[in-house]
Amino acid sequence: MLTHLAIRNFAVASQSDLEFGPGLTVISGETGAGKSLLVDALGFLSGQRADSGIVRHGAERAELHAEFSLEDAAPALRWLQDNELDDGGIGNGMVCQLRRTLRADGGSRAWINGRPATIAQLGELAGHLVEIHGQHEHQALLARGSQLALLDAQAGNGALLAEVRACTQAWRALHEEREALAGIGDVEERRDWLRHQLGELQEEALDAEAVAELFAAHRRQANAAGLIQACDSALERMRGDDAFGLPQALQTLRHELGRMRAHEPRLGEVDALLDAAAIQLDEATLLLDQVRDDLDIDPGQLATLEQRLVRLHELARKHRVTPEELADVQARLSAELDQLEGAGERLLQLDDEIEAAMARWRAAADRLGAARRSAAKSLSSATTSLIHELGMGGGVFEVAVEALDATRPDPQGAERVEFMVSANAGQPPRPLRKVASGGELSRISLAIEVAALGSDAVPTMVFDEVDSGIGGAVADIVGRKLRALGAGRQVLCVTHLPQVAAKGHAHYRVHKAASDGATESRVSRLDDRERAEELARMLGGVEISKEARAAARKLLATADV
């Protein structure tokens, strides 16, 4: 649900901060005041293409910011989590922030929860948060994919659709496995090649420990002379055979400090540390002696180690890896060989499994198709009745279900749908996306949403001028339908009819005002008294009579009727 919308230097508005709640919020204003300003702002926040013309004259950039509560928008929350954009740093993460700036030079930037985002990402997320009905380019219901999703949602086809998708994935996995096996070519030739490669690799010890030990052994043997000299020199000092030996030096040091220990107790701690150092020196001498015993200059061993290293590097170059990665190559080739050993039998088995998977998909798709056709009939009938009530007598709404020639499984099922409309009696139904009248299109969208009870799961729906070209009793019906829709969804409606405006749970008025010699649009929320005055203006024009005010109060009093 939309909770906050902030606008800065957008079109003719310099600054507006608006708070929104549940139910139906109506937006009214005089002709040319910019009533659709909020709709346009939400459109740009939904990823609509922008141009520099929407930046207020004299400003460097326009800024738009919206906050949505995600408590009623589980798909949006999942999208944020999948795209690692769910941490907005607000409360428990149940609030989402969208921000977009549009520069006067034509540049545009977008953020989701304070993190930079692409316009495409903004559009994907906004598709789970807000649905705008009005102009053709804003309408999600014009897209056949959205029409199919709405029908499935209205019919409660989630489980059936998930089954169809699972069957599709299973078939695709089997098909890809078969294509991979078939693409190998001559299996026997490939097996011979793999056996040869593995034979070369298996002649060497390739595990990480063995490779590391080989490199270490070569380094020891290649530097044996220097190591022996270093060890002999160190042992000569460490054994203490003369006055310059380390043990004798330590004993001398302890004796000299011991004579003064009575004058400084802390020298006792120093003596204890030196005693421990003497023990450590003895242990180091023993270990160094063992190292020296293990060292031997052996040209034959060095040659053998070098041959093994050369062979290891040759294999690494052949397989385009490092010597440490040869073990992984061996494992991969071994796994492929194991797979190919039964390739012929597996291909025959895969043919049977693919056929069975296709049969399971067809069965699942048939069940989904039956549910869709049943839902299409009920949605067609309910929407047709509603568009009659909305002033389109004789109009017909149909959900056309078109079967696909499915030669391979489709995750969306075996059919597509198209919303078809005839706005007037005697005219053949045409695709909804080709309906010319914006006002009729908006009212048809309203009828579909009411008939489907907002089952497309988008929490915020915006209707721009749905009452265009109607009046009187039909306007009252439109208002009642919008208010009914607002019982389960947040609804924003731009209107010029008092009968519709009176049905709102909240009311905003857009008006023009002069500021520093320039005209700008301002948006203000109306209290009860101001609402009555605005409805009277909508009823009576510039000169507001007592009768108009009385009629306005009556409209407000009967809003729940």
Side-chain angles (χ1 to χ4, degrees), residues 482-498:
L482 286 168
R483 190 176 179 92
L485 190 60
R489 291 286 186 272
Q490 183 188 45
V491 180
L492 277 63
C493 177
V494 176
T495 182
H496 68 280
L497 291 179

Side-chain angles (χ1 to χ4, degrees), residues 227-281:
L227 287 169
I228 289 172
Q229 181 180 356
C231 288
D232 287 343
S233 176
L235 284 169
E236 185 178 352
R237 297 286 305 277
M238 294 168 71
R239 286 195 177 106
D241 294 336
D242 53 42
F244 297 102
L246 291 178
Q248 183 61 38
L250 277 175
Q251 290 300 324
T252 300
L253 181 59
R254 292 182 65 190
H255 177 71
E256 291 177 352
L257 291 176
R259 290 183 301 176
M260 306 302 295
R261 188 166 54 190
H263 306 300
E264 174 51 75
R266 286 178 294 177
L267 291 178
E269 297 179 23
V270 174
D271 184 68
L273 291 171
L274 290 174
D275 184 47
I279 296 172
Q280 295 274 349
L281 180 61

